[in-house]
Amino acid sequence: MTNPVRAGDAPLAVAVEQGKSYYWCACGKSQNQPFCDGKHKGSGFAPLKYDASETKTLYFCVCKATANQPLCDGSHKQ
């Protein structure tokens, strides 16, 4: 697999908590978007760890085209 699966057409809002780690799905195969559920095995992709530095709502990319992984940069609009 050379390209990730597009898992959606808009970012997902997630309330993250300071001090917690989140594992963003980079392959697009997870059924738990935007986070990893292990379906990347054998795909050549690995989840990306995101450490929350503060408690707030963030918009995680699910189109997998962002240049600002794991957060949305508006690439889904192109």
Side-chain angles (χ1 to χ4, degrees):
M1 185 170 154
T2 57
N3 294 314
V5 174
R6 186 178 180 103
D9 294 324
L12 291 177
V14 177
V16 298
E17 292 181 43
Q18 181 179 8
K20 285 194 171 186
S21 296
Y22 300 84
Y23 292 86
W24 178 72
C25 169
C27 72
K29 292 181 171 185
S30 175
Q31 296 299 307
N32 189 35
Q33 290 295 326
F35 302 117
C36 179
D37 68 1
K39 288 198 172 58
H40 64 276
K41 291 182 171 74
S43 71
F45 287 87
L48 178 69
K49 182 180 179 185
Y50 177 83
D51 294 317
S53 59
E54 59 184 307
T55 297
K56 65 180 179 178
T57 298
L58 296 175
Y59 293 85
F60 284 83
C61 174
V62 293
C63 78
K64 310 305 174 188
T66 184
N68 188 33
Q69 294 179 347
L71 304 176
C72 177
D73 68 359
S75 293
H76 62 277
K77 296 177 184 176
Q78 298 176 22

